[in-house]
Amino acid sequence: DIQMTQSPSSLSASIGDRVTITCRASQDISNYLNWYQQKPGEAPKLLIHDVSTLEPGVPSKFSGSGFGTDFAFTISSLQPEDIATYYCQQYDDLPRTFGQGTKVEIK
Amino acid sequence: QVQLQESGPGLVKPSQTLSLTCSVSGVSISGGGYFWTWIRQLPGKGLEWIGYIYYSGSSNHNPSLESRVSISVDTSKNEFSLKLTSVTPADTAVYYCANGGSGVFHVWGRGTLITVSS
């Protein structure tokens, strides 16, 4: 299985801060990388697919980059509604696998 | 728009079979173009892909679940189902159904908590 490793596991930042989460794949996954947001008590929500393509309706403050094994997810200006756990997920190979999640909190 | 709704027993005894159904509205499964996926989230932990099925019945599942899992589709009812046999407390989780591509999960159900306990 392809292992997806996110860092950090959690972070605390101030309103307005730029926040970046990284995701590393255990092997080359090209651009087959998605990002999801999960708020407490809710189902995950797809924010970005194929590294950097935003889902319709997702604010442009969210962005993604990377290729191969190293990827990044950025929130340009953290807002209270962004408090959530974020997951990366690969679909280069079966089984599909997720990172362990990064919990984002307000400082 | 596409909406998904999981339904299940809530509580299952160890060694029994877990059966879940995902009811689909807003799109016809038989129309093709989408994969229908099951994903679970263990308590306080991350997400685990269980498997997917296409309207034709072609499916794939996570080898970690060995031969315990089967996924089926009923196009006449516009729903798809998950069966997981020989459950243990380690199968306690929130189970989600989702649709999209084979690896991109655009729409998710709200999830249903399944507890395995005697």
Side-chain angles (χ1 to χ4, degrees):
Chain A
D1 297 5
I2 297 175
Q3 304 302 316
M4 306 300 292
T5 304
Q6 289 181 232
S7 62
S9 297
S10 65
L11 66 88
S12 182
S14 299
I15 299 298
D17 280 356
R18 183 181 182 87
V19 169
T20 297
I21 298 167
T22 63
C23 178
R24 174 164 288 178
S26 60
Q27 65 188 65
D28 189 336
I29 60 170
S30 185
N31 66 330
Y32 299 115
L33 190 282
N34 308 319
W35 290 96
Y36 299 84
Q37 175 193 63
Q38 185 177 33
K39 296 182 178 180
E42 297 184 4
K45 173 187 175 183
L46 177 65
L47 296 182
I48 291 173
H49 62 88
D50 301 316
V51 175
S52 59
T53 302
L54 264 62
E55 273 289 90
V58 173
S60 59
K61 64 179 175 179
F62 297 107
S63 64
S65 63
F67 188 86
T69 60
D70 293 301
F71 303 88
F73 170 83
T74 298
I75 307 172
S76 61
S77 177
L78 186 67
Q79 298 302 311
E81 62 268 23
D82 302 328
I83 300 312
T85 299
Y86 293 85
Y87 295 93
C88 62
Q89 174 246 322
Q90 68 79 22
Y91 68 105
D92 179 65
D93 199 6
L94 294 170
R96 312 310 190 198
T97 50
F98 293 83
Q100 82 279 14
T102 296
K103 188 174 183 179
V104 175
E105 298 175 317
I106 298 290
K107 188 182 295 182
Chain B
Q1 73 277 23
V2 180
Q3 290 188 310
L4 308 175
Q5 177 66 58
E6 305 89 350
S7 59
L11 179 66
V12 182
K13 290 182 173 11
S15 80
Q16 291 189 341
T17 295
L18 164 64
S19 296
L20 294 174
T21 296
C22 183
S23 299
V24 179
S25 60
V27 68
S28 173
I29 290 179
S30 61
Y34 296 110
F35 286 78
W36 304 93
T37 298
W38 288 99
I39 294 164
R40 68 181 183 178
Q41 186 163 33
L42 305 178
K45 295 191 177 180
L47 299 157
E48 180 180 34
W49 177 81
I50 298 172
Y52 64 61
I53 192 163
Y54 197 56
Y55 81 99
S56 61
S58 172
S59 66
N60 210 306
H61 66 268
N62 198 322
S64 69
L65 296 168
E66 299 172 329
S67 58
R68 295 196 299 132
V69 63
S70 65
I71 300 174
S72 60
V73 63
D74 187 336
T75 55
S76 67
K77 295 182 179 179
N78 214 38
E79 63 186 31
F80 63 107
S81 299
L82 169 70
K83 287 191 189 302
L84 186 64
T85 62
S86 304
V87 297
T88 72
D91 294 309
T92 294
V94 175
Y95 287 76
Y96 296 100
C97 57
N99 98 317
S102 69
V104 183
F105 314 123
H106 291 271
V107 179
W108 296 59
R110 296 180 66 177
T112 185
L113 174 62
I114 298 298
T115 302
V116 179
S117 174
S118 55

